């Protein structure tokens, strides 16, 4: 009796060891594909690990029903065979334009980790529009990235930051730094990514490499502009008490939420979401100080209008890309489904229009003189408007 029990124990432990050392994982990578109407897309299904019995991968759920066909409709995994990052090509064809989820499952249920065994298939009506959208995307990213430098160059040429709102810059950098942290951890940290996938089983990481690069670049460029504020002539310009309260409130929120994450009161993903909300809120308030300063001075001298022209160009190109994609993929929900993001984009464009009206219409004529520093020497030159 005892030898039989011992033998059974060894067999069970051996089976468990096989399952635990190299558990079977089946997933799609990449998980986001784009094709055109009637065109087949090659989906890469990956297998890694081993199981002690045969298993089947079945495409039992295809979002969109008859609008997507998958070939083959099932695959077999041999028991006892060691798979090492083995790719299998599956063909999926969109029969109409739209966005669909192609999902599969491993049977018997629970024998493998198949949580990421799905693909988002975007089926476009017109392929050239895909490339046009891509070019527009790079164009508005370039506009927004280059837009930080006209102000930096203007400050350097004038050796002065008179006319530039310190409140605008300091509130802005809080938003950019929060956005940079959010993007960086969402993109690089596997623990955060796992938390996100646990909450959104069919979700894809919303952050791509370009998002990280843009946010970090914006933080550095804004930080350098702030450094200029403390080097060049400012005529006593400083951060207002109101802005200090706003910035202090943001810092307190960040400190409290970070402490809660450290002690497990909230998840780290929630902390990152809080940072993203701070970024959104800074967009709502950061423009007011500069617009008010222009109004109070009755001048836009010292504030680079080229910055706002590039910003509004980027914003309009971004909206154009959203409209093109919505029409090409028959996905208008991508616009109306995220009203906060769309609304903030429109809000920024409206403020850009305010600055343009101030610069080219309301305050075109020079009304006062300000000291301008060139090569370390002060000269009194009348302000001019472009």
């Amino acid at each position: 009796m005892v030898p039989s029990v011992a033998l059974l124990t060894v067999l069970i432990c051996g089976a468990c060891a096989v399952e635990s050392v190299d558990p079977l994982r089946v997933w799609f990578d990449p998980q986001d594909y784009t094709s055109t109407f009637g065109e087949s897309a090659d989906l890469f299904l990956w297998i890694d690990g081993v199981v002690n019995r045969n298993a089947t991968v079945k495409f039992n759920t295809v979002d969109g029903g008859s609008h997507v066909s998958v070939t083959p409709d099932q695959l077999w995994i041999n028991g006892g065979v060691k798979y090492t990052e083995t790719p299998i090509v599956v063909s999926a064809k969109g029969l109409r334009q739209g966005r669909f989820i192609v999902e599969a499952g491993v049977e018997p249920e629970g024998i493998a980790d198949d949580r990421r065994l799905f693909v988002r298939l975007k089926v476009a009506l017109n392929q050239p529009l895909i490339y046009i959208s891509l070019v527009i995307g790079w164009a508005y990213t370039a506009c927004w990235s280059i837009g930080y430098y006209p102000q930096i160059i203007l400050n350097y040429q004038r050796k002065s930051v008179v006319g530039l709102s310190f409140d605008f810059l300091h509130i802005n950098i809080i938003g950019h730094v929060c956005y940079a942290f959010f993007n960086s951890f969402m993109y690089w940290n596997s623990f955060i990514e796992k938390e996100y996938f646990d909450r959104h089983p069919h979700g894809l990481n919303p952050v791509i490499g370009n998002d990280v690069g843009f946010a970090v670049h914006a933080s550095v460029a804004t930080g350098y502009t702030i450094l200029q504020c403390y080097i060049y002539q400012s005529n006593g310009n400083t951060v207002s008490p109101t802005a200090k309260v706003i910035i202090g409130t943001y810092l307190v929120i960040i400190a409290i939420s970070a402490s809660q994450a450290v002690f497990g009161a909230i998840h780290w993903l929630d902390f990152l979401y809080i940072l993203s909300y701070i970024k959104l809120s800074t967009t709502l308030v950061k423009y007011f100080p500069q617009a008010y300063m222009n109004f109070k001075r009755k001048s836009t001298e010292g504030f680079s209008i080229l910055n706002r022209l590039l910003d509004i160009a980027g914003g309009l190109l971004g909206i154009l890309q959203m409209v093109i994609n919505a029409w090409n993929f028959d996905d208008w929900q991508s616009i109306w489904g995220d009203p906060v993001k769309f609304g903030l984009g429109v809000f920024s464009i409206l403020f850009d229009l305010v600055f343009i009206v101030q610069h080219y219409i309301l305050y075109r004529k020079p009304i006062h003189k300000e000291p301008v520093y060139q090569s370390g020497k002060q000269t009194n030159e009348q302000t001019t408007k472009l």
Side-chain angles (χ1 to χ4, degrees), residues 93-158:
K93 179 184 291 187
L95 305 180
R96 63 173 295 273
Q97 65 182 129
R99 297 176 186 262
F100 311 101
I101 293 180
V102 179
E103 184 183 37
V106 180
E107 296 181 359
E109 186 176 351
I111 199 172
D113 180 0
D114 58 359
R115 290 173 296 177
R116 307 304 297 170
L117 193 52
F118 71 91
V119 167
R120 284 185 174 178
L121 180 64
K122 296 181 291 184
V123 182
L125 181 64
N126 188 289
Q127 188 173 30
L129 286 180
I130 296 177
Y131 299 111
I132 293 174
S133 174
L134 182 63
V135 171
I136 292 175
W138 282 106
Y140 73 67
T141 300
C143 287
W144 285 338
S145 298
I146 296 172
Y148 291 94
Y149 293 98
Q151 186 66 59
I152 292 175
I153 295 172
L154 180 63
N155 295 342
Y156 173 77
Q157 291 175 337
R158 298 173 68 239

Side-chain angles (χ1 to χ4, degrees), residues 75-374:
L75 301 168
W76 290 269
I77 300 174
N78 297 321
V81 176
K82 171 65 175 178
Y83 292 89
T84 305
E85 301 264 339
T86 304
I88 298 175
V89 178
V90 178
S91 178
K93 179 184 291 187
L95 305 180
R96 63 173 295 273
Q97 65 182 129
R99 297 176 186 262
F100 311 101
I101 293 180
V102 179
E103 184 183 37
V106 180
E107 296 181 359
E109 186 176 351
I111 199 172
D113 180 0
D114 58 359
R115 290 173 296 177
R116 307 304 297 170
L117 193 52
F118 71 91
V119 167
R120 284 185 174 178
L121 180 64
K122 296 181 291 184
V123 182
L125 181 64
N126 188 289
Q127 188 173 30
L129 286 180
I130 296 177
Y131 299 111
I132 293 174
S133 174
L134 182 63
V135 171
I136 292 175
W138 282 106
Y140 73 67
T141 300
C143 287
W144 285 338
S145 298
I146 296 172
Y148 291 94
Y149 293 98
Q151 186 66 59
I152 292 175
I153 295 172
L154 180 63
N155 295 342
Y156 173 77
Q157 291 175 337
R158 298 173 68 239
K159 299 296 188 293
S160 171
V161 290
V162 175
L164 180 61
S165 171
F166 283 26
D167 293 357
F168 166 73
L169 291 174
H170 286 76
I171 293 174
N172 202 19
I173 197 170
I174 293 292
H176 285 321
V177 171
C178 288
Y179 191 49
F181 270 95
F182 173 83
N183 286 339
S184 297
F185 279 92
M186 285 291 294
Y187 185 72
W188 276 311
N189 191 285
S190 58
F191 176 79
I192 296 297
E193 187 176 53
K194 182 180 182 302
E195 281 193 359
Y196 180 82
F197 290 152
D198 287 343
R199 296 190 190 184
H200 309 281
H202 283 170
L204 299 178
N205 194 324
V207 177
I208 60 176
N210 288 352
D211 296 328
V212 178
F214 173 79
V216 172
H217 171 266
S219 301
V220 173
T222 305
Y224 185 79
T225 308
I226 291 176
L227 179 62
Q228 289 182 314
C229 293
Y230 295 96
I231 296 176
Y232 298 141
Q233 172 68 21
S234 65
N235 279 9
N237 189 11
T238 185
V239 181
S240 70
T242 301
K244 290 179 180 178
V245 171
I246 294 174
I247 294 170
T249 302
Y250 285 143
L251 295 178
V252 169
I253 292 173
I254 292 172
I256 292 175
S257 55
S259 299
Q260 289 179 314
V262 168
F263 292 104
I266 63 174
H267 293 92
W268 280 107
L269 181 61
D270 296 317
F271 170 68
L272 292 181
Y273 280 148
I274 290 172
L275 294 184
S276 70
Y277 300 148
I278 290 176
K279 163 60 180 174
L280 293 178
S281 66
T282 59
T283 303
L284 291 174
V285 301
K286 67 181 182 181
Y287 297 111
F288 287 97
Q290 185 64 58
Y292 178 73
M293 173 176 281
N294 296 344
F295 167 76
K296 186 177 180 180
R297 298 173 66 243
K298 298 297 186 290
S299 171
T300 59
E301 181 69 17
F303 179 66
S304 174
I305 193 61
L306 183 55
N307 180 316
R308 307 327 304 168
L309 293 176
L310 287 169
D311 186 76
I312 196 172
L316 291 174
L317 287 173
I319 292 178
L320 176 62
Q321 185 192 51
M322 293 174 67
V323 172
I324 289 176
N325 288 341
W327 182 83
N328 200 26
F329 295 102
D330 191 22
D331 185 25
W332 297 99
Q333 184 65 22
S334 62
I335 296 179
W336 314 124
D338 193 354
V340 174
K341 181 179 179 180
F342 183 77
L344 286 173
V346 174
F347 181 83
S348 296
I349 291 175
L350 291 177
F351 253 103
D352 289 334
L353 292 174
V354 169
F355 291 127
I356 290 173
V357 170
Q358 286 182 326
H359 183 83
Y360 290 107
I361 299 177
L362 298 180
Y363 311 133
R364 292 184 59 188
K365 296 181 180 180
I367 59 174
H368 64 284
K369 295 182 179 181
E370 291 179 350
V372 177
Y373 289 77
Q374 295 179 348

